[in-house]
Amino acid sequence: MAEKDVMMQTLDQVTNTIDKGIEDYFPPGAKEQLKSLEAVHPLLKQAYVVGGAALLPLLLVFYILGGFKLMVNLSGFIYPAYKSLQAISNNDLEEDKQWLTYWVVYGTFSILESVMSFVTEMIPYYNVFKLAMFIYLYHHSTKGASKVYDKILLPYIVPLISGSKKAEKKAE
Protein backbone atom coordinates (compact mmCIF):
# COMPACT_ATOMS: atom_id res chain seq x y z
CA MET A 1 0.00 0.00 0.00
CA ALA A 2 2.87 2.38 0.72
CA GLU A 3 4.12 2.04 -2.87
CA LYS A 4 0.67 2.93 -4.18
CA ASP A 5 0.54 6.06 -1.98
CA VAL A 6 3.99 7.15 -3.15
CA MET A 7 2.95 6.61 -6.75
CA MET A 8 -0.26 8.62 -6.27
CA GLN A 9 1.69 11.46 -4.63
CA THR A 10 4.12 11.49 -7.54
CA LEU A 11 1.26 11.54 -10.07
CA ASP A 12 -0.41 14.38 -8.15
CA GLN A 13 2.84 16.36 -8.25
CA VAL A 14 3.17 15.81 -12.00
CA THR A 15 -0.48 16.75 -12.55
CA ASN A 16 -0.10 19.92 -10.50
CA THR A 17 3.07 20.83 -12.40
CA ILE A 18 1.25 20.38 -15.72
CA ASP A 19 -1.71 22.46 -14.49
CA LYS A 20 0.65 25.24 -13.35
CA GLY A 21 2.44 25.13 -16.71
CA ILE A 22 -0.88 25.40 -18.52
CA GLU A 23 -1.92 28.41 -16.44
CA ASP A 24 1.46 30.15 -16.80
CA TYR A 25 2.40 29.51 -20.43
CA PHE A 26 -0.61 28.59 -22.56
CA PRO A 27 -2.52 31.25 -24.53
CA PRO A 28 -6.13 31.98 -23.50
CA GLY A 29 -7.63 30.15 -26.50
CA ALA A 30 -5.74 26.97 -25.68
CA LYS A 31 -6.78 27.25 -22.02
CA GLU A 32 -10.44 27.48 -23.08
CA GLN A 33 -10.12 24.42 -25.31
CA LEU A 34 -8.50 22.44 -22.49
CA LYS A 35 -11.22 23.54 -20.06
CA SER A 36 -13.93 22.37 -22.46
CA LEU A 37 -12.10 19.03 -22.82
CA GLU A 38 -11.81 18.81 -19.04
CA ALA A 39 -15.57 19.36 -18.69
CA VAL A 40 -16.21 16.31 -20.87
CA HIS A 41 -13.32 14.15 -19.62
CA PRO A 42 -11.92 15.44 -16.31
CA LEU A 43 -8.79 13.29 -16.33
CA LEU A 44 -7.76 13.85 -19.94
CA LYS A 45 -6.54 17.48 -19.88
CA GLN A 46 -3.07 16.51 -18.69
CA ALA A 47 -3.00 13.57 -21.10
CA TYR A 48 -3.65 15.90 -24.04
CA VAL A 49 -0.86 18.23 -22.94
CA VAL A 50 1.60 15.38 -22.38
CA GLY A 51 0.55 13.73 -25.66
CA GLY A 52 1.04 16.98 -27.55
CA ALA A 53 4.42 17.48 -25.92
CA ALA A 54 5.41 13.91 -26.85
CA LEU A 55 4.14 14.34 -30.42
CA LEU A 56 6.26 17.42 -31.08
CA PRO A 57 9.64 15.61 -30.91
CA LEU A 58 8.27 12.85 -33.14
CA LEU A 59 7.24 15.41 -35.76
CA LEU A 60 10.63 17.09 -35.44
CA VAL A 61 12.37 13.77 -36.11
CA PHE A 62 10.28 13.31 -39.27
CA TYR A 63 11.10 16.87 -40.28
CA ILE A 64 14.82 16.32 -39.75
CA LEU A 65 14.78 13.03 -41.67
CA GLY A 66 12.99 14.27 -44.76
CA GLY A 67 11.52 17.66 -44.12
CA PHE A 68 8.05 18.77 -45.00
CA LYS A 69 8.24 16.83 -48.25
CA LEU A 70 8.43 13.53 -46.34
CA MET A 71 5.48 14.52 -44.16
CA VAL A 72 3.42 15.46 -47.23
CA ASN A 73 4.27 12.19 -48.97
CA LEU A 74 3.37 10.17 -45.87
CA SER A 75 0.06 11.97 -45.51
CA GLY A 76 -0.67 11.28 -49.17
CA PHE A 77 0.12 7.58 -48.71
CA ILE A 78 -0.82 6.25 -45.25
CA TYR A 79 -4.54 7.10 -45.05
CA PRO A 80 -5.27 6.27 -48.72
CA ALA A 81 -3.42 2.95 -48.36
CA TYR A 82 -5.52 2.12 -45.29
CA LYS A 83 -8.77 3.03 -47.06
CA SER A 84 -7.72 1.09 -50.16
CA LEU A 85 -7.15 -2.03 -48.08
CA GLN A 86 -10.61 -1.58 -46.60
CA ALA A 87 -12.10 -1.13 -50.08
CA ILE A 88 -10.68 -4.48 -51.17
CA SER A 89 -12.98 -6.29 -48.74
CA ASN A 90 -16.06 -4.30 -49.78
CA ASN A 91 -18.15 -4.76 -52.89
CA ASP A 92 -18.79 -1.03 -53.32
CA LEU A 93 -17.92 -0.02 -56.88
CA GLU A 94 -17.92 3.71 -56.07
CA GLU A 95 -15.35 3.17 -53.35
CA ASP A 96 -13.23 1.05 -55.68
CA LYS A 97 -13.41 3.78 -58.34
CA GLN A 98 -12.42 6.41 -55.74
CA TRP A 99 -9.32 4.59 -54.54
CA LEU A 100 -8.18 3.18 -57.88
CA THR A 101 -8.43 6.65 -59.40
CA TYR A 102 -6.59 8.12 -56.41
CA TRP A 103 -3.65 5.78 -56.98
CA VAL A 104 -3.57 6.52 -60.71
CA VAL A 105 -3.48 10.26 -60.02
CA TYR A 106 -0.97 9.79 -57.17
CA GLY A 107 1.34 7.73 -59.38
CA THR A 108 1.06 10.10 -62.33
CA PHE A 109 1.71 13.07 -60.08
CA SER A 110 4.74 11.36 -58.50
CA ILE A 111 6.26 10.56 -61.90
CA LEU A 112 5.66 14.06 -63.23
CA GLU A 113 7.06 15.54 -60.03
CA SER A 114 10.28 13.52 -60.30
CA VAL A 115 10.73 14.42 -63.98
CA MET A 116 9.89 18.09 -63.39
CA SER A 117 11.72 18.47 -60.06
CA PHE A 118 13.73 21.43 -61.35
CA VAL A 119 10.42 23.29 -61.89
CA THR A 120 8.69 22.20 -58.67
CA GLU A 121 11.66 23.33 -56.58
CA MET A 122 11.17 26.88 -57.89
CA ILE A 123 7.47 27.05 -56.96
CA PRO A 124 6.98 28.64 -53.54
CA TYR A 125 4.81 26.60 -51.16
CA TYR A 126 4.70 23.75 -53.65
CA ASN A 127 4.47 21.09 -50.93
CA VAL A 128 1.56 22.91 -49.28
CA PHE A 129 -0.26 22.87 -52.63
CA LYS A 130 0.57 19.19 -53.05
CA LEU A 131 -0.76 18.38 -49.57
CA ALA A 132 -3.99 20.28 -50.29
CA MET A 133 -4.40 18.42 -53.58
CA PHE A 134 -3.90 15.00 -51.95
CA ILE A 135 -6.37 15.84 -49.20
CA TYR A 136 -8.89 17.01 -51.81
CA LEU A 137 -8.44 13.78 -53.73
CA TYR A 138 -8.92 11.43 -50.78
CA HIS A 139 -11.17 13.28 -48.33
CA HIS A 140 -14.53 11.56 -47.90
CA SER A 141 -16.53 14.78 -48.22
CA THR A 142 -14.96 15.86 -51.53
CA LYS A 143 -14.19 12.50 -53.20
CA GLY A 144 -11.93 14.43 -55.55
CA ALA A 145 -10.45 11.33 -57.16
CA SER A 146 -13.90 10.24 -58.36
CA LYS A 147 -14.48 13.73 -59.76
CA VAL A 148 -11.15 13.56 -61.60
CA TYR A 149 -12.20 10.23 -63.06
CA ASP A 150 -15.64 11.50 -64.14
CA LYS A 151 -14.44 14.86 -65.56
CA ILE A 152 -11.01 14.03 -67.03
CA LEU A 153 -10.18 10.33 -67.24
CA LEU A 154 -13.53 8.96 -68.45
CA PRO A 155 -14.12 11.36 -71.35
CA TYR A 156 -10.51 11.79 -72.51
CA ILE A 157 -8.25 8.95 -71.36
CA VAL A 158 -10.49 5.89 -71.12
CA PRO A 159 -11.54 6.02 -74.81
CA LEU A 160 -7.88 6.10 -75.84
CA ILE A 161 -7.06 3.11 -73.68
CA SER A 162 -10.08 0.97 -74.46
CA GLY A 163 -10.34 1.99 -78.11
CA SER A 164 -14.05 1.30 -78.06
CA LYS A 165 -17.18 3.36 -78.46
CA LYS A 166 -18.52 1.84 -75.22
CA ALA A 167 -16.31 4.13 -73.10
CA GLU A 168 -17.31 7.17 -75.17
CA LYS A 169 -21.01 6.38 -74.62
CA LYS A 170 -20.35 6.00 -70.90
CA ALA A 171 -18.77 9.48 -70.82
CA GLU A 172 -21.86 11.03 -72.41
Side-chain angles (χ1 to χ4, degrees):
M1 276 301 201
E3 289 178 19
K4 190 174 185 180
D5 291 337
V6 171
M7 189 174 182
M8 289 304 291
Q9 288 175 349
T10 305
L11 285 175
D12 285 340
Q13 288 175 351
V14 170
T15 302
N16 291 336
T17 304
I18 291 172
D19 283 337
K20 184 173 179 354
I22 290 170
E23 287 302 318
D24 292 345
Y25 301 112
F26 277 49
K31 288 179 191 175
E32 290 173 20
Q33 287 291 333
L34 287 171
K35 284 182 183 178
S36 66
L37 285 171
E38 189 176 33
V40 177
H41 300 288
L43 301 176
L44 290 182
K45 180 171 84 171
Q46 292 82 11
Y48 283 115
V49 172
V50 171
L55 187 62
L56 186 60
L58 181 66
L59 291 175
L60 286 173
V61 167
F62 275 120
Y63 189 76
I64 290 168
L65 289 176
F68 189 61
K69 184 176 180 179
L70 174 66
M71 294 169 71
V72 169
N73 287 334
L74 285 175
S75 66
F77 177 79
I78 292 173
Y79 178 75
Y82 170 74
K83 293 301 280 183
S84 297
L85 289 172
Q86 280 185 333
I88 289 171
S89 63
N90 295 346
N91 290 329
D92 185 7
L93 291 178
E94 281 298 311
E95 194 173 341
D96 291 347
K97 179 174 86 169
Q98 163 71 17
W99 294 113
L100 286 171
T101 306
Y102 175 83
W103 290 115
V104 167
V105 173
Y106 181 88
T108 303
F109 196 80
S110 295
I111 291 169
L112 289 175
E113 181 184 29
S114 67
V115 171
M116 303 295 287
S117 64
F118 63 94
V119 174
T120 60
E121 289 174 1
M122 292 188 289
I123 300 172
Y125 302 109
Y126 169 74
N127 283 316
V128 174
F129 164 73
K130 181 178 167 183
L131 178 63
M133 184 194 74
F134 283 155
I135 291 173
Y136 168 76
L137 288 172
Y138 71 64
H139 199 273
H140 68 275
S141 66
T142 59
K143 296 201 183 241
S146 293
K147 291 176 184 172
V148 167
Y149 179 81
D150 292 337
K151 304 279 187 206
I152 298 170
L153 297 177
L154 187 62
Y156 302 110
I157 307 299
V158 172
L160 295 174
I161 293 171
S162 66
S164 69
K165 298 293 180 186
K166 182 179 176 185
E168 291 174 9
K169 288 180 183 177
K170 224 180 188 183
E172 294 170 0

